[in-house]
């Protein structure tokens, strides 16, 4: 069902060819809500098992143009999971300390432990998105031996290797691109200006970034095509309809958790014997 949105290296993502507003997996909002409620219950149970088993961790990473609905979607995902072992890591403009280190340093610091789920609000992909579009690496401190023409290409390789390294060490990475249209983004910026309770979200620089729209689309295309792998796939989700986007995201996370197939740890016979002895003791106490 999710195959059409999934990129695992077996097909190319072409930004211009993908619709941002189709709703082919569920045509109406009410049904989507109902299905999401069912998905949430399943997700909740699987997460509890993941946390109990502590064998594998999960990163669900979100990237998008501004106003695509990243924050709302993340809030929604977090609401339907238990707070134990689930957290959000938001990656903003790097601090001086972060910039003094390699670009994956701050990312590795937020990698979940086995049993945990980390929701990444932006990520290391910023370094091949805004980093590529604005050529930030050219003005950041670097050694003379660095070939600036190869920085982005090398980062794709670093990222593939980093995610595969995590996979081999029991941490999966699932990457979600919320694909909004330029027109829909304009509408959402307008509502941030017109509706007082949304004013705080509006920033003039977001509108200025629209000048670079095509360059960002190209950067997304290149980033996705260079880092989509079987173990760490990308999903490109149509984002013009928020209700549909959230529904598809719930299907992606559920599908991933099902594939991870966590199980409650089985108690050994020896431990069970101990449990039974303790049970007798407790029962005596309440007699
Ligand atoms: P968001 O836009 O994610 O909702 P925000 O508006 O609350 O967050 P911003 O200050 O806009 O906060 O933080 C995100 C900004 O940080 C984005 O413009 C993003 O491109 C930038 N950013 C994140 N990581 C990097 C990076 N590695 N290098 C440069 N800029 C980065
Ligand atoms: Mg912002």
């Amino acid at each position: 069902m999710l195959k059409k949105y999934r990129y695992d290296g077996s097909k190319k993502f072409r930004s211009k060819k993908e619709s941002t507003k189709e709703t082919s997996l569920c045509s109406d909002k009410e049904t989507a809500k109902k299905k999401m409620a069912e998905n949430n219950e399943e997700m909740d149970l699987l997460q509890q098992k993941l946390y109990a088993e502590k064998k594998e961790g999960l990163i669900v990473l979100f990237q998008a143009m501004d106003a695509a609905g990243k924050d709302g979607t993340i809030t929604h995902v977090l609401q339907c999971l238990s707070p134990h072992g689930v957290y959000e890591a938001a990656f903003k403009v790097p601090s001086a300390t972060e910039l003094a280190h390699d670009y994956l340093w701050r990312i590795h610091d937020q990698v979940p432990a086995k049993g945990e789920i980390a929701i990444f609000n932006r990520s290391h992909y910023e370094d091949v998105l805004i980093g590529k579009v604005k050529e930030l690496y050219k003005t950041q401190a670097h050694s003379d031996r660095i070939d600036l023409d190869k920085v982005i290409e090398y980062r794709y390789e670093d990222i593939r290797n980093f995610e595969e390294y995590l996979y081999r060490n029991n941490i999966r990475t699932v990457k979600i691109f919320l694909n909004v249209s330029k027109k829909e983004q304009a509408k959402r910026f307008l509502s941030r200006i017109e509706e007082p309770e949304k004013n705080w979200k509006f920033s003039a620089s977001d509108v200025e970034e629209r000048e670079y729209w095509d360059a960002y689309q190209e950067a997304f295309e290149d980033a996705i095509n260079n880092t989509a792998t079987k173990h760490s796939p990308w999903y490109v989700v149509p984002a013009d309809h928020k209700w549909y986007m959230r529904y598809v995201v719930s299907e992606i996370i559920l599908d991933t958790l099902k594939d991870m197939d966590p199980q409650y740890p089985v108690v050994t016979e020896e431990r069970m014997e101990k449990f039974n002895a303790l049970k007798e003791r407790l029962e005596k106490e309440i007699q």
Side-chain angles (χ1 to χ4, degrees):
M1 190 164 94
L2 293 166
K3 216 173 149 198
K4 61 188 296 192
Y5 301 137
R6 186 182 160 98
Y7 292 85
D8 59 8
S10 57
K11 65 179 178 193
K12 288 276 176 232
F13 167 53
R14 294 280 168 249
S15 165
K16 288 203 173 79
K17 281 196 177 162
E18 296 308 318
S19 163
T20 55
K21 50 177 161 294
E22 59 98 357
T23 57
S24 56
L25 298 188
C26 184
S27 56
D28 70 286
K29 204 169 168 173
E30 283 316 304
T31 315
K33 265 192 183 166
K34 237 188 263 164
K35 285 186 176 180
M36 257 165 86
E38 288 165 16
N39 287 354
N40 291 351
E41 273 182 38
E42 265 190 272
M43 265 157 63
D44 189 34
L45 182 66
L46 286 164
Q47 187 234 328
Q48 285 179 39
K49 289 184 180 174
L50 190 85
Y51 188 66
E53 188 181 43
K54 291 190 171 35
K55 279 192 176 170
E56 203 174 0
L58 173 65
I59 297 171
V60 183
L61 169 166
F62 289 89
Q63 286 291 160
M65 295 299 284
D66 275 308
K70 207 161 33 70
D71 290 4
T73 306
I74 291 173
T75 306
H76 194 264
V77 171
L78 289 172
Q79 274 167 355
C80 61
L81 295 171
S82 138
H84 304 297
V86 179
Y87 61 93
E88 182 201 23
F91 297 96
K92 307 276 183 187
V93 177
S95 67
T97 309
E98 288 169 344
L99 278 177
H101 289 81
D102 63 281
Y103 73 100
L104 292 176
W105 179 76
R106 65 173 185 164
I107 308 297
H108 210 154
D109 189 47
Q110 297 287 345
V111 168
K114 289 175 252 182
E116 292 183 342
I117 299 179
I119 310 290
F120 280 10
N121 187 344
R122 303 183 185 270
S123 65
H124 40 299
Y125 284 95
E126 290 293 326
D127 291 282
V128 289
L129 293 167
I130 190 168
K132 178 175 189 257
V133 172
K134 300 285 175 71
E135 299 185 328
L136 300 175
Y137 51 92
K138 290 191 175 167
T139 50
Q140 289 162 355
H142 59 269
S143 153
D144 293 341
R145 67 176 169 75
I146 301 299
D147 180 351
L148 292 177
D149 293 335
K150 294 212 164 128
V151 168
I152 296 299
E153 195 187 314
Y154 286 155
R155 283 185 185 169
Y156 295 142
E157 193 181 328
D158 299 334
I159 292 173
R160 283 197 303 271
N161 290 339
F162 176 63
E163 292 173 357
E164 185 63 16
Y165 161 81
L166 293 179
Y167 185 82
R168 288 177 184 168
N169 285 277
N170 308 297
I171 309 295
R172 288 199 198 203
T173 311
V174 167
K175 305 166 293 197
I176 300 177
F177 170 41
L178 304 176
N179 190 18
V180 77
S181 66
K182 197 174 179 188
K183 197 170 160 192
E184 181 62 27
Q185 190 199 49
K187 284 189 197 164
R188 293 188 190 169
F189 283 159
L190 279 173
S191 72
R192 287 180 180 186
I193 296 173
E194 286 160 3
E195 296 170 39
E197 69 277 15
K198 288 187 182 168
N199 285 167
W200 66 276
K201 277 191 177 178
F202 184 72
S203 123
S205 62
D206 288 351
V207 176
E208 277 151 30
E209 283 303 289
R210 280 170 66 79
E211 304 252 330
Y212 299 91
W213 183 274
D214 290 343
Y216 272 108
Q217 296 304 308
E218 204 185 301
F220 267 110
E221 208 173 86
D222 287 348
I224 291 171
N225 288 330
N226 278 288
T227 60
T229 66
K230 213 161 172 250
H231 295 157
S232 313
W234 271 101
Y235 289 89
V236 176
V237 179
D240 282 3
H241 296 289
K242 281 189 182 175
W243 61 267
Y244 184 72
M245 170 182 76
R246 286 183 192 177
Y247 161 65
V248 175
V249 167
S250 85
E251 290 286 354
I252 294 168
I253 299 178
L254 179 59
D255 189 66
T256 307
L257 286 169
K258 276 186 182 164
D259 194 56
M260 291 167 87
D261 193 25
Q263 305 291 331
Y264 283 120
V266 181
V267 180
T268 59
E269 251 176 63
E270 196 186 340
R271 256 169 84 82
M272 208 58 216
E273 271 173 33
K274 256 192 201 155
F275 281 9
N276 286 332
L278 289 170
K279 189 176 162 219
E280 264 178 46
R281 211 166 91 187
L282 289 167
E283 277 169 353
K284 267 188 204 152
E285 276 186 34
I286 57 168
Q287 263 168 19

